Each structure stands twice: as C-alpha cells, then as structure tokens.
C-alpha cells in the first residue's frame, strides 16, 4: 500500500499502552507526525472530549478517557476510513453501508 493511500486510513486499537509516560497532547502529536496533513492537536482533542486532559499523563486517564485517546489517535490523520480493532479482530471499518 502506498504511503498516501495508507494515510487515508485511521486505526483505533483496543488500547495503546506504549504511551503511558507521555501527556495526552504528546501522544496524539506523536501519531500526527506520521500523516502529511494531520488535524491540529487541539481540534482533535476537542472532537473526542479530551481538550482539558491535554497536559495529563496517559497513565492517569480513566478507562473511558483512554478509549477516547485511542479514537483521537485514529482520527488525527484525517482518514477517509477508520478501522476499529478489538482483541485482534476488526469490529468496524467505517465503510459506507
């Protein structure tokens, strides 16, 4: 798959545990760097209801807030399609019905 084509897909994993020491803002910014035209970090955090959590460490988030962070990471690249993965299987791919 070409890099441009891959940039149109957002992945929402079950849980990202490798970013626990980063702040919410840093975690989203890290993934935004992979995309050619990412959303602004404040806009992305606002869309998922985490704007007030931006300076918090990921390890301090509640379970629900961590799921919203996973969604923020999945949408920061302005994807045309979002793929949701749970327990190693695709549960929703955002395809039109």
């Amino acid at each position: 798959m070409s890099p441009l084509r891959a940039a149109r897909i957002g992945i929402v994993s079950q849980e990202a545990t490798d970013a626990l020491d980063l702040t919410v803002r840093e975690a989203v910014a890290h993934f935004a760097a992979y995309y050619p035209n990412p959303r602004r970090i404040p806009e992305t955090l606002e869309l998922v209801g985490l704007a007030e959590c931006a300076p918090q460490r990921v390890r301090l988030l509640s379970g629900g807030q961590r799921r919203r962070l996973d969604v923020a990471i999945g949408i920061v690249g302005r994807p045309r399609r979002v793929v949701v993965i749970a327990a190693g299987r695709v549960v929703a791919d955002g395809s039109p019905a």
Side-chain angles (χ1 to χ4, degrees):
M1 182 178 302
S2 75
L4 286 177
R5 191 168 182 170
R8 294 186 225 161
I9 300 171
I11 303 293
V12 178
S13 69
Q14 186 173 7
E15 182 176 2
T17 58
D18 54 347
L20 295 176
D21 291 326
L22 298 178
T23 66
V24 171
R25 181 185 302 110
E26 291 168 340
V28 176
H30 171 78
F31 286 93
Y34 290 105
Y35 296 98
N37 184 27
R39 291 181 196 274
R40 291 176 29 256
I41 305 307
E43 172 193 1
T44 304
L45 295 177
E46 186 68 38
L47 285 170
V48 298
L50 289 178
E52 292 181 9
C53 298
Q56 273 190 307
R57 299 274 174 212
V58 171
R59 74 171 59 257
L60 300 176
L61 297 177
S62 70
Q65 289 170 325
R66 286 189 189 190
R67 296 303 71 70
R68 287 188 271 152
L69 175 58
D70 293 335
V71 172
I73 289 168
I75 67 170
V76 73
R78 299 178 187 272
R80 294 179 67 187
R81 176 174 286 183
V82 175
V83 177
V84 179
I85 300 173
R89 66 181 195 279
V90 174
V91 294
D93 72 358
S95 297

